[in-house]
Amino acid sequence: MSSRRMTIATGSLLTASFSAVMIFSFSAGADDEGPMSGKGGKAVDKAPSGVELTTLLPEKIEVDNSSQETAITATVKNGGTKDSGEIRLLVVGFDGLSVKGVEGCAEIAEKDLPEGSNSGFACAIDNLAAGKSKSYAVDATFDLKKEGKICLPVQDADGKKTFWQQGPVPFGANNPSPNAPATPLLLGTDNSPVTPGSDKAGGNKSGGKELPKTGPADRILPLGAVGAALISAGAAGLWWTQRRPQRSGS
């Protein structure tokens, strides 16, 4: 009788262990967004010796066509040989892409947002060890009737220096499908806005502001090419290297 009980107990433990492994494996795979990319990024100010900071964004995201919700993973990486010390990552949204929340990060007040942006969060990092990375879950919405961009600057703790800035880089689709459950968007692709029933891609012509173009000759320029303006974000600021759009009289 005792031997039988031992056999049953051993079998139960093995089953539980197998189930735990299966659940862990599934959870790890469920969070995988696919390949990540540093597209649209460039070093700005010189980082401390031995520190090499960069960021990564998923190459593809999907936007729910009914709720406009999407999830983005923002990663900051220290590819150098020395620890970073205190730094911070900013996650900033533009045009049709609005950042609604970043896990563990503080929202930037509207009055302190960089010009042209609609939302942003600041993520304080005490230290990023050499060869390590840190990822943040970003909740966002994307209005498919507009173009949309995201920007990831990496700064020192007080915002006086920007060691790296990815973007503003667009997410978009050349041929959005407004009647499908979700629309896949690719990093580095200008969105071609479209509304149900329309036969042409283009900006929203029914009132409102005309959306700025995002080609290489317009809004997005190599960092440092046109100078920078320091914009306060709490106690610090964001070095902005984007040319102001030229507006015609309206």
Side-chain angles (χ1 to χ4, degrees):
M1 189 67 176
S2 142
S3 174
R4 183 181 175 186
R5 281 208 256 342
M6 184 177 294
T7 301
I8 293 172
T10 302
S12 299
L13 286 172
L14 288 172
T15 302
S17 299
F18 179 74
S19 300
V21 171
M22 290 298 290
I23 291 171
F24 177 79
S25 299
F26 176 78
S27 299
D31 293 333
D32 183 13
E33 286 185 305
M36 303 286 283
S37 172
K39 183 179 293 185
K42 186 175 181 180
V44 186
D45 295 315
K46 185 175 177 60
S49 177
V51 177
E52 185 180 331
L53 297 167
T54 57
T55 56
L56 297 170
L57 286 164
E59 291 186 356
K60 183 175 78 171
I61 62 173
E62 286 201 350
V63 177
D64 185 295
N65 284 347
S66 58
S67 66
Q68 298 187 339
E69 293 177 352
T70 186
I72 303 170
T73 297
T75 298
V76 56
K77 180 179 179 180
N78 180 7
T81 57
K82 294 183 180 179
D83 293 359
S84 70
E86 291 187 25
I87 57 172
R88 67 179 194 166
L89 170 71
L90 302 186
V91 182
V92 185
F94 290 82
D95 303 322
L97 193 157
S98 298
V99 181
K100 299 301 181 183
V102 182
E103 187 176 6
C105 304
E107 185 173 7
I108 300 172
E110 184 177 356
K111 65 182 180 63
D112 296 324
L113 288 171
E115 184 177 355
S117 66
N118 56 48
S119 52
F121 284 75
C123 309
I125 302 171
D126 291 336
N127 183 60
L128 192 59
K132 298 296 183 180
S133 62
K134 186 173 179 62
S135 294
Y136 293 89
V138 180
D139 292 324
T141 59
F142 197 111
D143 184 348
L144 294 169
K145 298 183 185 69
K146 301 178 181 179
E147 297 169 345
K149 300 166 208 66
I150 191 169
C151 187
L152 302 182
V154 183
Q155 306 176 327
D156 59 2
D158 58 12
K160 290 183 178 179
K161 291 184 177 180
T162 296
F163 303 125
W164 173 267
Q165 182 168 304
Q166 185 174 7
V169 60
F171 274 107
N174 292 324
N175 296 296
S177 304
N179 298 318
T183 296
L185 302 179
L186 299 179
L187 182 67
T189 301
D190 292 337
N191 193 45
S192 297
V194 65
T195 55
S198 68
D199 57 357
K200 291 183 180 179
N204 182 4
K205 307 286 184 187
S206 56
K209 297 179 181 178
E210 180 181 353
L211 293 172
K213 302 298 182 183
T214 59
D218 292 284
R219 283 186 75 193
I220 301 175
L221 296 177
L223 294 170
V226 292
L230 181 63
I231 298 176
S232 171
L238 166 63
W239 280 103
W240 202 241
T241 54
Q242 174 186 324
R243 184 177 69 185
R244 294 183 59 181
Q246 299 298 317
R247 297 181 179 272
S248 57
S250 57

